[in-house]
């Protein structure tokens, strides 16, 4: 709260949903791309309504096994 009262911008990076309550805005990244951004309540509402996007998958590695 102290930094916020002073007008500072604070960037938090977290996988813990409990930290979201401290944020005014949330930026969601999936596979290094912006998947959502906006006010906390709006972003969380959208995330709860849709399935979580998966990061893009590269080509699967194939290993040949000799018999």
């Amino acid at each position: 709260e102290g930094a916020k009262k002073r007008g500072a911008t604070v960037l938090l990076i977290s996988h813990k949903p409990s930290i979201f309550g401290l944020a005014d805005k949330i930026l969601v990244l999936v596979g290094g791309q912006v998947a959502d951004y906006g006010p906390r309540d709006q972003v969380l509402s959208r995330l709860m309504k849709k399935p979580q996007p998966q990061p893009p998958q590269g080509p699967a590695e194939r290993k040949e096994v000799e018999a």
Side-chain angles (χ1 to χ4, degrees):
E1 285 296 314
K4 188 175 176 179
K5 286 182 183 178
R6 291 191 311 269
T9 298
V10 178
L11 176 66
L12 299 171
I13 300 172
S14 178
H15 290 271
K16 294 183 179 183
S18 62
I19 203 83
F20 298 160
L22 299 173
D24 294 324
K25 294 184 181 179
I26 294 178
L27 172 73
V28 179
L29 297 174
V30 176
Q33 302 293 315
V34 175
D36 205 342
Y37 173 74
R40 175 192 58 233
D41 295 338
Q42 291 176 12
V43 172
L44 292 177
S45 176
R46 287 190 294 267
L47 289 174
M48 298 305 286
K49 291 179 183 175
K50 63 183 178 181
Q52 298 300 311
Q54 299 298 313
Q57 299 292 322
E61 278 189 40
R62 238 178 115 179
K63 292 185 179 181
E64 298 291 329
V65 178
E66 288 185 34

